[in-house]
Amino acid sequence: MTTIDARIADFYGEYDEAARLHTTATGRLELERTQELLRQYLPPPPARVLDVGGGPGTHARWLVEDGYEVVLLDPVPKHVEQARAYVPGCAAEIGDARDVTLPAHGFDAVLLLGPLYHLADRADRLRALSEARRVVVPGGLVAAAGISRYSLMQDYTVSAGLTPDLLAGEVTEVVRTGSYDGSRGFTVVHFHTSAELAEEAVEAGLTDVRLHGIEGPGWAYVMAAGRCGGQEVAQALVADAVATARLADDQGVFTDASAHILVVGTS
């Protein structure tokens, strides 16, 4: 049975998730780097990919265009309807990352690019990762994204919004615990450290676990440029931000300075 926190359902009922990775420079940076990283690990098409929490089909679309057979699951009915319209050839259904009603070992790769940060309880995140491990083939790829523990602090800083009250309140609480109640501008979310995300993947039974900062440490500068100079100015920084993210990855540093962190492992 698919259940979703009412606060999350309400948020995504109003929020335009379909536009998120296309309308801002930081969104396009996230999309470009996610594609780049996943293409390093995905088996060649026409492998079967399960996109759990795939939203309106943003990633499913380029995967289908690359030649993959994609099944998308999402708990938000609006997202499933959007994915069916946006990604011809993708099977999109209502589904819960914690209880995937599909047979074991049916997919060559499983993606969880949204579910983990909307599962506030660690036990639920481990269930989602374990379900991904169950439905992927032995030795198959599982890739999951988290939001960095430090991204809220960076976000408020570059928007000149880090007031003493915010710093003493929700920002410090997020840095200390990772927990956020969705009271201001977002919804219920858990912010990961890279070490925590890797630990959860290992505890769920994944092996050969690796971490990547998706946007790299330059994402906050891109965001600041967009707010101060507009999206055209910010877009001019994306190529440099991608290059910086690659360099940081090569050196194994600044993973937590990215807005999103990607963990990959095998079953």
Side-chain angles (χ1 to χ4, degrees):
M1 180 178 178
T2 299
T3 59
I4 182 172
D5 188 303
R7 293 166 293 180
I8 297 174
D10 290 345
F11 176 81
Y12 282 110
E14 298 294 328
Y15 182 69
D16 186 8
E17 176 65 16
R20 185 177 70 85
L21 297 182
H22 300 288
T23 56
T24 66
T26 51
R28 290 190 287 272
L29 171 61
E30 179 187 342
L31 177 59
E32 181 177 337
R33 274 285 290 165
T34 301
Q35 290 173 321
E36 177 178 273
L37 290 168
L38 289 178
R39 284 172 173 147
Q40 292 178 22
Y41 290 101
L42 284 167
R48 299 193 77 214
V49 177
L50 180 63
D51 187 5
V52 184
T58 302
H59 293 294
R61 179 151 176 161
W62 66 262
L63 287 164
V64 168
E65 290 173 349
D66 277 5
Y68 290 97
E69 179 184 346
V70 180
V71 175
L72 180 148
L73 301 178
D74 198 272
V76 180
K78 182 180 82 170
H79 288 170
V80 172
E81 293 173 6
Q82 289 173 320
R84 288 172 177 168
Y86 184 60
V87 194
C90 172
E93 302 292 341
I94 297 289
D96 189 323
R98 298 163 294 182
D99 184 18
V100 178
T101 56
L102 293 168
H105 311 319
F107 294 88
D108 301 294
V110 178
L111 310 180
L112 300 102
L113 301 180
L116 293 192
Y117 49 79
H118 287 313
L119 295 173
D121 293 335
R122 188 172 188 273
D124 283 337
R125 297 194 297 274
L126 292 176
R127 283 176 58 191
L129 287 164
S130 296
E131 278 290 85
R133 181 171 172 259
R134 180 184 65 82
V135 298
V136 79
V137 298
L141 171 72
V142 175
I147 301 178
S148 169
R149 181 75 59 90
Y150 309 104
S151 60
L152 185 66
M153 177 178 62
Q154 292 170 284
D155 190 343
Y156 280 135
T157 300
V158 300
S159 64
L162 191 57
T163 65
D165 286 347
L166 283 175
L167 182 59
E170 64 190 56
V171 174
T172 295
E173 181 67 12
V174 165
V175 170
R176 185 175 67 85
T177 69
S179 299
Y180 184 64
D181 63 5
S183 60
R184 189 190 304 268
F186 196 22
T187 185
V188 179
V189 67
H190 180 77
F191 293 85
H192 279 89
T193 65
S194 58
E196 178 188 27
L197 188 58
E199 287 167 4
E200 291 177 356
V202 170
E203 187 166 340
L206 298 178
T207 60
D208 193 22
V209 169
R210 304 181 189 184
L211 291 163
H212 299 276
I214 293 179
E215 299 94 339
W219 76 273
Y221 299 99
V222 176
M223 176 175 284
R227 287 176 173 167
C228 296
Q231 291 306 309
E232 185 174 345
V233 172
Q235 183 60 37
L237 301 179
V238 168
D240 286 341
V242 168
T244 302
R246 291 171 182 158
L247 178 60
D249 250 4
D250 288 344
Q251 299 302 311
V253 296
F254 292 126
T255 302
D256 288 282
S258 182
H260 294 83
I261 302 165
L262 187 72
V263 62
V264 296
T266 55
S267 64

